[in-house]
């Protein structure tokens, strides 16, 4: 059966500055990632750090040409805060030129630039101030956002404030996979609240600028499925949903936090500090569009063991993760593959979040040792094609049932540096050869080109 999409559907890919740009010849200050790598290079896969990125700073014109060849009509990347404002205040003219000419190159090729202000990389000087746990950084971010809106008003009509804002908090304050490697729920909650406030201030600054483009946020939504219909399992899934999805989804879309989440955090004395003015700022920051990143679902069950009363407070006080026997897995990343999850997310947004216009802003499959699949110089990544097809079917079905989903961006265009995993798992439509820096299309690039041409498959 044919899978089709509406006219003017966004077909694109996503990338981020820190994962692609490389350490170019601007006077960028160092980021939290560069600092962390200097401290603990052994924690990065094969010790490949942020300096091993592909250097798209120098080759973006060739990249855009490849995007045009495939037929992309939209593309998301991010601005590096540390590159644009090396001292936190003054914009570097070279960085301005770079971003302007990159965005213009896209536009002139018929590719709509979608630009994220914050995709995991924070200037280290902001981190030294306490990062998202410090209110002063919220104001610094709002200033940075306002500078971007002013500097790139001609080039950019689609802005994203944050990419997956929950991830740096989970990584940095709960599970130790982002700097500053703390384990303190209260700090995580404070950082989450200030991140939301920073998002709201950026949205409100955009409205105040009078510009007529669109602004939104990208959230990684991970539907929580209970192991069974048993009440305890269902409650466990409900709390996981409150903590990991609705903690950002509700304030971003409804302007306020779920009452049950506030009650829960209050009970365990984990509520962040906030003011009435902060809540007003969040309540008034209405977004135009939502980006949904989806890779895998979350399955949970009621806790099996009691909590150690002196152990640090963690989300896992309320549930255990559950691995469903026989589920389809991506063993390289350890993530379940469940396309139905994407359909469920879109249906939930339709039914409970006013059917906000949304696009799938990341979806893809990271696989290790892809050189195994090279035949006649091409990575035959049929598994990636199948993964994307299955997810696209879910999207198409949701749209036919009324979802306001208007696009799909796969992660990612060219294999890139993936944080702690560095180059372990490859996600690209194009292969990046680390040994000589060359780039070549995988089978999925040709497949995607065909899908775009036919607006379906
Ligand atoms: C998302 C991030 C991306 C990218 C992707 C793949 O969470 O927004 O930046 O890294 O995940 O995940 P990973 O690199 O961890 O395999």
């Amino acid at each position: 059966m044919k899978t089709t999409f509406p006219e003017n559907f966004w077909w694109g890919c996503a990338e981020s500055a820190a994962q692609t740009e490389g350490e170019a010849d601007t006077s960028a200050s160092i980021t939290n990632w560069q600092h962390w790598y200097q401290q603990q290079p052994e924690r990065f896969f094969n010790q490949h750090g942020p300096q091993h990125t592909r250097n798209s700073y120098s080759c973006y014109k060739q990249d855009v040409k490849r995007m045009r060849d495939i037929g992309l009509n939209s593309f998301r990347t991010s601005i590096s805060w540390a590159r644009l404002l090396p001292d936190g205040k003054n914009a570097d003219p070279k960085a301005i030129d770079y971003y302007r000419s990159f965005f213009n190159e896209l536009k002139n090729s018929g590719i709509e630039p979608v630009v994220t202000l914050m995709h995991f990389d924070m200037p280290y000087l902001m981190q030294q101030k306490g990062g998202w746990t410090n209110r002063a950084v919220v104001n610094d971010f709002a200033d940075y956002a306002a500078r971007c809106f002013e500097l790139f008003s001609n080039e950019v009509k689609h802005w994203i404030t944050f990419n997956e804002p929950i991830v740096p908090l989970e990584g940095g304050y709960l599970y130790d996979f982002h700097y500053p490697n703390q384990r303190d729920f209260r700090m995580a909650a404070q950082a989450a609240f200030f991140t939301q406030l920073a998002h709201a201030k950026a949205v409100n600054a955009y409205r105040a600028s009078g510009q007529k483009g669109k602004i939104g946020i990208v959230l990684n939504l991970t539907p929580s499925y209970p192991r069974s219909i048993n009440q305890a399992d269902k409650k466990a899934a409900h709390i996981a949903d409150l903590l990991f999805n609705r903690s950002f989804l509700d304030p971003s879309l409804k302007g306020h936090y779920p009452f049950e989440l506030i009650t829960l955090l209050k009970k365990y004395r984990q509520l962040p500090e906030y003011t009435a003015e902060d809540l007003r700022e969040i309540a008034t920051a209405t977004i135009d569009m939502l980006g949904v990143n989806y890779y895998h679902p979350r399955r949970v069950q009621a806790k099996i063991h009691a909590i150690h009363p002196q152990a640090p407070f963690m989300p896992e006080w309320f549930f255990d993760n559950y691995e469903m026997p026989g589920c389809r897995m991506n063993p390289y990343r350890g993530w379940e593959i469940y396309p139905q999850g994407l359909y469920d997310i879109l249906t939930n947004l339709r039914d409970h979040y006013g059917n906000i216009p949304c696009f799938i802003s990341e979806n893809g499959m990271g696989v290790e040792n892809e050189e195994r699949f090279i035949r006649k110089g091409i990575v035959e990544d049929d598994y990636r094609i199948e993964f994307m097809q299955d997810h696209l079917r879910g999207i198409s079905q949701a749209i036919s049932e009324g979802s306001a989903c208007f696009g799909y961006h796969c992660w990612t265009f060219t294999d890139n540096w993936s944080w702690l995993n560095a180059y372990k798992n490859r996600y690209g439509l194009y292969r990046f050869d680390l040994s000589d820096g060359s780039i070549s299309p995988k089978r999925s690039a040709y497949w995607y080109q065909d899908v775009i041409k036919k607006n379906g498959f």
Side-chain angles (χ1 to χ4, degrees):
M1 208 176 83
K2 208 168 176 267
T3 303
T4 54
F5 294 86
E7 237 177 274
N8 302 321
F9 194 70
W10 267 7
W11 291 108
C13 295
E15 277 185 3
S16 81
Q19 295 177 271
T20 55
E21 279 178 0
E23 294 181 340
D25 66 337
T26 60
S27 44
S29 59
I30 70 162
T31 66
N32 47 355
W33 287 93
Q34 287 163 316
H35 173 77
W36 187 18
Y37 183 77
Q38 285 167 7
Q39 307 302 309
Q40 296 187 302
E42 67 284 354
R43 294 197 60 184
F44 293 73
F45 187 77
N46 282 345
Q47 301 213 13
H48 284 130
Q51 77 279 24
H52 292 105
T53 49
R54 206 170 48 80
N55 203 8
S56 61
Y57 181 88
S58 316
C59 59
Y60 66 91
K61 288 197 175 157
Q62 290 99 300
D63 282 0
V64 174
K65 191 186 163 304
R66 289 188 186 101
M67 292 177 206
R68 200 181 48 206
D69 291 346
I70 291 191
L72 304 193
N73 59 18
S74 48
F75 178 75
R76 181 168 72 100
T77 187
S78 67
I79 291 176
S80 157
W81 187 358
R83 186 183 304 289
L84 189 70
L85 305 180
D87 63 359
K89 296 214 163 356
N90 299 295
D92 176 358
K94 270 190 159 175
I96 301 175
D97 283 354
Y98 162 65
Y99 287 116
R100 276 201 185 130
S101 84
F102 183 10
F103 301 152
N104 275 322
E105 193 75 16
L106 286 164
K107 277 179 57 165
N108 296 337
S109 306
I111 302 168
E112 183 63 28
V114 183
V115 178
T116 311
L117 295 170
M118 180 79 195
H119 192 131
F120 298 177
D121 56 322
M122 170 177 273
Y124 181 58
L125 63 99
M126 296 294 163
Q127 189 66 60
Q128 279 176 304
K129 285 190 188 179
W132 295 117
T133 63
N134 181 357
R135 180 181 285 276
V137 172
V138 174
N139 296 324
D140 291 328
F141 179 80
D143 292 344
Y144 156 65
R147 283 312 298 282
C148 290
F149 301 148
E150 173 198 315
L151 287 167
F152 308 113
S153 61
N154 289 332
E155 293 81 13
V156 183
K157 305 293 178 204
H158 291 90
W159 289 100
I160 296 294
T161 56
F162 282 81
N163 175 77
E164 302 189 352
I166 201 169
V167 169
L169 317 177
E170 290 180 76
Y173 299 101
L174 296 176
Y175 304 118
D176 191 15
F177 63 91
H178 277 215
Y179 196 77
N181 319 97
Q182 307 282 322
R183 186 174 276 252
D184 183 327
F185 190 96
R186 183 79 214 291
M187 281 173 100
Q190 190 64 63
F193 183 76
F194 280 154
T195 302
Q196 188 70 45
L197 186 60
H199 154 79
K201 286 194 181 219
V203 171
N204 290 335
Y206 190 66
R207 301 292 177 223
S209 76
Q211 292 182 41
K212 297 282 177 272
K214 295 196 187 316
I215 188 162
I217 190 166
V218 162
L219 300 178
N220 50 312
L221 298 178
T222 313
S224 292
Y225 299 102
R227 167 184 57 178
S228 76
I229 55 165
N230 178 286
Q231 283 311 317
D233 282 345
K234 282 165 96 174
K235 188 173 171 203
H238 179 63
I239 296 182
D241 186 44
L242 282 172
L243 288 166
F244 291 104
N245 295 316
R246 296 185 57 194
S247 51
F248 279 95
L249 187 59
D250 282 35
S252 300
L253 267 62
K254 297 185 171 174
H256 58 83
Y257 286 90
F259 180 68
E260 285 172 277
L261 179 62
I262 300 172
T263 313
L264 182 82
L265 297 192
K266 208 185 240 166
K267 181 171 167 197
Y268 290 91
R269 290 197 221 91
Q270 300 292 332
L271 265 190
E273 281 169 26
Y274 61 92
T275 67
E277 178 53 32
D278 295 341
L279 299 184
R280 262 195 302 278
E281 184 95 42
I282 291 172
T284 51
T286 314
I287 55 172
D288 304 301
M289 58 179 181
L290 175 71
V292 175
N293 288 0
Y294 176 72
Y295 290 90
H296 60 91
R298 177 191 295 276
R299 297 191 188 274
V300 301
Q301 59 188 353
K303 282 213 73 68
I304 292 177
H305 301 291
I307 306 288
H308 187 306
Q310 265 86 51
F313 179 83
M314 288 292 278
E316 288 73 14
W317 278 29
F318 305 100
F319 60 84
D320 284 338
N321 289 308
Y322 171 66
E323 199 172 308
M324 187 173 75
C327 66
R328 186 174 158 195
M329 286 295 288
N330 171 358
Y332 315 102
R333 193 58 179 81
W335 283 343
E336 182 182 341
I337 300 175
Y338 188 63
Q340 167 81 28
L342 197 41
Y343 169 84
D344 291 345
I345 291 170
L346 293 176
T347 306
N348 181 38
L349 292 173
R350 182 195 68 194
D351 294 347
H352 303 292
Y353 291 88
N355 206 10
I356 180 157
C358 65
F359 70 111
I360 306 311
S361 38
E362 283 183 33
N363 177 238
M365 187 177 178
V367 169
E368 200 170 353
N369 291 330
E370 278 200 318
E371 32 302 318
R372 279 176 290 167
F373 305 109
I374 296 181
R375 311 265 182 283
K376 295 190 185 147
I378 288 190
V379 178
E380 299 196 337
D381 54 347
D382 295 357
Y383 40 86
R384 179 165 294 111
I385 295 173
E386 190 186 339
F387 179 100
M388 288 166 71
Q389 267 176 340
D390 290 349
H391 286 81
L392 282 165
R393 282 194 193 100
I395 299 169
S396 171
Q397 187 184 341
I399 295 172
S400 72
E401 294 171 16
S403 159
C405 178
F406 63 85
Y408 178 85
H409 284 183
C410 73
W411 185 268
T412 181
F413 190 61
T414 305
D415 292 340
N416 61 30
W417 177 78
S418 232
W419 320 109
L420 279 189
N421 279 332
Y423 287 98
K424 176 177 173 286
N425 302 317
R426 306 303 191 96
Y427 284 85
L429 299 177
Y430 274 76
R431 175 168 171 76
F432 173 51
D433 190 333
L434 254 175
S435 65
D436 61 6
S438 65
I439 277 162
S440 53
K442 301 179 193 173
R443 184 181 267 178
S444 56
Y446 297 110
W447 169 81
Y448 203 41
Q449 180 183 42
D450 194 52
V451 171
I452 297 173
K453 202 157 98 203
K454 297 183 178 139
N455 205 27
F457 56 92

